[in-house]
Amino acid sequence: MSKPTKTNSPNTAWHCQSVTREQRSKANGHMPVVLWYTGLSGAGKSTIANAVDAKLFEQGCHTYLLDGDNVRQGLNGDLTFSDKDRVENIRRIGEVSKLFVDAGVIVSTAFISPFRSDREMVRSQLAPEQFIEIYVDTALDVCEKRDPKGLYKKARTGTIKNFTGIDSPYDIPSDPEIHLETHSFSVEQCVQTVMLALKKRQIIR
Amino acid sequence: MSKPTKTNSPNTAWHCQSVTREQRSKANGHMPVVLWYTGLSGAGKSTIANAVDAKLFEQGCHTYLLDGDNVRQGLNGDLTFSDKDRVENIRRIGEVSKLFVDAGVIVSTAFISPFRSDREMVRSQLAPEQFIEIYVDTALDVCEKRDPKGLYKKARTGTIKNFTGIDSPYDIPSDPEIHLETHSFSVEQCVQTVMLALKKRQIIR
């Protein structure tokens, strides 16, 4: 370091230096947004979210995916599956998504998020163009047949309580920005649908 | 959408598509890291962190700054200033920082974070090269003279309790990666010190 400079209040001169969300967006070449995937366990949320994320990344977008693996173990590791904690789980995911949007990122979240009120709480905290609800619409019997983690089986025998679709309700999105009817389309086609919707909304080029 | 394709288990084919941290780092052209600024209230943490963040952004790095403004109002809006909640405050900031590192970002945090145990908790959750503790070392009397938010005055009259440096301790970092002695150097020089340290550690080019 060179010769010290005396400053009495360095705070004042520098506070305007903060990088704005607009500057971050411009540098990234796309708009920041939350892609909020919702649907039953086994519906294919993580699969589709991961595939869209990979596609966006390939195209040079700045992306990130929040899912059970990186959130339930870490930030929300203190939460149980009680009603109160489920609300808090979604609230925190919403707040973290907001920080990522502020950082200029296209952030995807892949959680069941069964309650409309919770999804609307997250939506209400973002600008209208920053929240895209994606309903991964897969019938319960299809999800239950897949049962990739054996959870439906446990729910049916009562080993797991309050399991969405079995003994806890799932509020079907009434007006999602994107509706993926997975019984009619392949994962690849669902990815294509999301990509086209993002282009149409001028989130990506 | 074109003709539907039948798939029984779209989950299996796509799970390997996740973008890795290594891929994100490579695309960004720098390493992801947490720049953890610690120091008394009024020490200049936010000022220096903002200036470094702006400098890194200018150089094309993918950055983000977590501070009181975007965290205490949102994610940690449910927390008080009790001992338990202060620990939880830092824990969540640490977990969110980890997510940003996973997203390939250089994330800066500007919180007093007075307790060594809390800072070490965050450090322990990251790889050694991913956590840079930056001690913004400004004497208490200087901070108190600045008192940009009038908090020291309130602490002295007892309107605020448990204020760091007055009636709550600050654990001086014993071995911070970067030590900024603000009585000898200007903000600009402190920024330069941080930038040089990041180059030396090959976090940036």
Side-chain angles (χ1 to χ4, degrees), chain A residues 3-204:
Chain A
K3 192 166 155 263
T5 306
K6 288 233 173 189
T7 53
N8 287 325
S9 179
N11 281 7
T12 43
W14 286 77
H15 259 320
C16 54
Q17 292 263 340
S18 313
V19 182
T20 66
R21 184 164 62 220
E22 289 66 32
Q23 287 173 296
R24 297 190 195 277
S25 285
K26 209 178 156 190
N28 286 344
H30 60 77
M31 301 301 290
V33 73
V34 182
L35 305 181
W36 190 278
Y37 295 83
T38 174
L40 297 173
S41 177
K45 297 180 298 298
S46 286
T47 304
I48 297 170
N50 261 299
V52 169
D53 184 69
K55 196 74 131 186
L56 289 166
F57 181 76
E58 247 177 61
Q59 298 193 7
C61 297
H62 215 86
T63 69
Y64 192 56
L65 177 74
L66 294 170
D67 64 13
D69 287 343
N70 55 22
V71 170
R72 266 280 176 192
Q73 308 295 320
L75 179 65
N76 292 357
D78 57 324
L79 300 177
T80 68
F81 286 88
S82 72
D83 283 0
K84 199 184 140 213
D85 279 7
R86 277 167 181 250
V87 174
E88 176 63 7
N89 182 49
I90 297 300
R91 186 191 74 81
R92 289 192 202 164
I93 293 162
E95 291 291 352
V96 171
S97 301
K98 225 169 104 181
L99 294 173
F100 273 98
V101 164
D102 199 37
V105 174
I106 298 179
V107 58
S108 302
T109 68
F111 299 90
I112 298 171
S113 50
F115 303 120
R116 185 172 298 128
S117 55
D118 294 349
R119 299 190 302 257
E120 292 310 309
M121 172 184 67
V122 176
R123 180 191 290 275
S124 71
Q125 303 211 356
L126 291 151
E129 70 278 11
Q130 287 172 350
F131 185 85
I132 309 263
E133 188 175 16
I134 304 176
Y135 176 30
V136 183
D137 181 4
T138 307
L140 178 60
D141 64 321
V142 176
C143 295
E144 196 166 354
K145 233 176 257 162
R146 287 182 189 161
D147 204 7
K149 297 174 193 164
L151 298 174
Y152 283 97
K153 210 171 176 182
K154 284 183 186 167
R156 287 291 183 194
T157 58
T159 321
I160 300 177
K161 297 277 179 212
N162 300 317
F163 195 76
T164 303
I166 306 300
D167 55 349
S168 187
Y170 177 79
D171 298 340
I172 292 173
S174 47
D175 195 19
E177 276 76 6
I178 303 175
H179 183 174
L180 301 174
E181 295 174 280
T182 63
H183 63 281
S184 307
F185 301 104
S186 70
V187 170
E188 203 162 11
Q189 288 171 324
C190 290
V191 171
Q192 207 50 33
T193 302
V194 176
M195 294 298 287
L196 284 172
L198 297 183
K199 268 181 205 158
K200 211 173 152 192
R201 287 166 186 273
Q202 299 186 296
I203 289 160
I204 57 172

Side-chain angles (χ1 to χ4, degrees), chain B residues 24-37 52 56-57 59-63 100-101 104-108 123 127-134 177-178 193-205:
Chain B
R24 297 190 197 278
S25 285
K26 209 179 156 189
N28 285 344
H30 59 77
M31 300 301 291
V33 73
V34 182
L35 305 181
W36 190 278
Y37 295 83
V52 169
L56 289 167
F57 181 77
Q59 298 193 6
C61 296
H62 215 88
T63 69
F100 273 97
V101 164
V105 174
I106 297 178
V107 57
S108 302
R123 180 192 289 274
E129 69 279 11
Q130 286 171 351
F131 185 85
I132 310 263
E133 188 175 15
I134 304 174
E177 276 76 7
I178 303 175
T193 302
V194 175
M195 295 298 287
L196 284 172
L198 297 183
K199 268 182 205 157
K200 212 173 151 191
R201 287 167 186 271
Q202 299 186 295
I203 288 160
I204 56 172
R205 281 176 197 147

